[in-house]
Amino acid sequence: MTPDHVSRETPPAPEAARGVFASERLPLAQRYADWLAADAVERGLIGPREVPRLWERHLLNCAVLQEVVPAEATVCDLGSGAGLPGLVLAIARPDVEVTLVEPLLRRTTFLEEVVADLALDHCHVRRTRAEELHGSFRFDVVTSRAVAPLPKLLRWSLPLVAEQGAMVAMKGAGAAEEVRAARPELRRLGCSTPEVLTLGVGLFDPPTTVVRVAPGGGPQVG
Ligand SMILES: C[S@@+](CC[C@H](N)C(=O)[O-])C[C@H]1O[C@@H](n2cnc3c(N)ncnc32)[C@H](O)[C@@H]1O
């Protein structure tokens, strides 16, 4: 199925999208927006009220994560849902290898259809739970959005992070407070001190807040 039948409902890309997606990737982002506005809503993967704010709240908000993804990195997105942020990163960054991890069949079916439609050969869908990958896989960057509170996210993500890599969790305005509350877990896991970063300032409002945590090696949480 293609999303063409309802693509006119998709809001057009705002000017800010040109500052986030390279011009040759923007048509792919627009097509993904069509999938979200049509099939993702019909299949209950996102709410209809998200459609008017698809670009600012979802595509752009997620695409700015590319600022913390090194060239040619391997990326694992835990709990991708309808593809946020992992599928957006795969659209924005053809140089990275993206694995979307999602346990629910309805969601992985959607993800596989979109990946095939957009011909994103560097993007792979795995129907599994984060914990099932522990001990078998490592990635340069492990992303997530709206998947779990920070302590649980640390336990799910850090075993998947390569030695020089990082977990990058999208969090809201309460990110710094979440980091404070997670100090015992951060200490227990021996992580380096987390950074709270604000991305996309001036492009959309509110900007994206992420918590970036390296598995160790840097200044340790005291
Ligand atoms: C609230 S949704 C967020 C989806 C998407 N990241 C977004 O921001 O729209 C949380 C997702 O995490 C997935 N999930 C729950 N437990 C998980 C686990 N142990 N490993 C990987 N994904 C998980 C759920 O199936 C769901 O799709």
Side-chain angles (χ1 to χ4, degrees), residues 78-82 84-85 101-104 107 128-131 145-147 156:
L78 297 182
S80 289
L84 301 158
V101 174
E102 171 54 54
L104 295 186
R107 295 175 187 183
T128 188
R129 296 186 169 276
E131 313 88 289
R145 186 181 87 162
V147 171
W156 284 354

Side-chain angles (χ1 to χ4, degrees), residues 1-4 7 10 25-37 55 59 91 114 117-118:
M1 194 192 298
T2 73
D4 295 340
S7 60
T10 315
R25 307 303 287 177
L26 200 50
L28 287 177
Q30 181 69 59
R31 190 153 179 90
Y32 177 47
D34 291 343
W35 273 95
L36 289 175
W55 284 97
L59 281 106
I91 290 170
V114 179
D117 182 51
L118 272 55

